[in-house]
Amino acid sequence: MTGRGKPAAGGGVWAGVAYVAIVFAVAFALGTVRTLLVAPRLGDTLAVTIEAPLILAVSWLASAWCVRVFQIPPAVAPRLTMGGVGFGLLMLLELGMSVLLFGRTPGDYLAAFLSRPGAIGLAAQLGFALVPLLQIKRAIPGRR
């Protein structure tokens, strides 16, 4: 931030970094519970279907916090920057985990999106990317 209380240049980038850090940490914990406890009992598709709205709710709260802390204005460009940076980093983090922790290839990682649980997860990730933009309407005074 600048000395006059205005957002510093690149605030959308740093907000996106903070946004993904918060949501990824929560998603990692929920994903562990989903993988170890829920999916074996209910199946992968239902487990991801249960997890996705929880992650989107966390995304909504984390985005609102980041917007406030980083003073991201209610304008399309900085909100898309925040969501786009968050989404890009999220995909890189997930690819890295897939390859380094689970021994999958990048092709395996991408192919997983073609499954029903993978498609649901990707839809939630795209929702995560759009949350900062969707919150603009709430941020403009006089808009309902």
Side-chain angles (χ1 to χ4, degrees):
M1 297 209 221
T2 65
R4 297 180 185 197
K6 294 181 181 176
V13 172
W14 289 113
V17 171
Y19 177 47
V20 76
I22 295 164
V23 176
F24 184 78
V26 174
F28 185 84
L30 285 175
T32 301
V33 171
R34 173 183 46 83
T35 302
L36 298 177
L37 300 176
V38 181
R41 289 172 176 79
L42 302 177
D44 289 336
T45 300
L46 186 54
V48 172
T49 302
I50 292 167
E51 181 188 27
L54 298 173
I55 296 301
L56 289 172
V58 168
S59 299
W60 190 270
L61 296 172
S63 173
W65 183 83
C66 290
V67 163
R68 187 174 58 255
V69 168
F70 291 92
Q71 297 182 13
I72 307 302
V76 172
R79 297 299 179 99
L80 281 177
T81 299
M82 180 180 155
V85 166
F87 179 77
L89 290 174
L90 175 64
M91 300 312 283
L92 287 174
L93 285 166
E94 288 199 347
L95 173 62
M97 281 184 42
S98 181
V99 171
L100 298 174
L101 295 180
F102 301 109
R104 297 180 185 132
T105 67
D108 293 337
Y109 169 74
L110 293 173
F113 291 121
L114 298 176
S115 70
R116 186 173 292 141
I120 294 167
L122 181 59
Q125 291 162 333
L126 291 169
F128 158 86
L130 292 174
V131 164
L133 185 64
L134 294 173
Q135 290 177 333
I136 286 178
K137 185 175 180 182
R138 292 188 59 225
I140 299 173
R143 300 263 316 255
R144 292 185 188 254

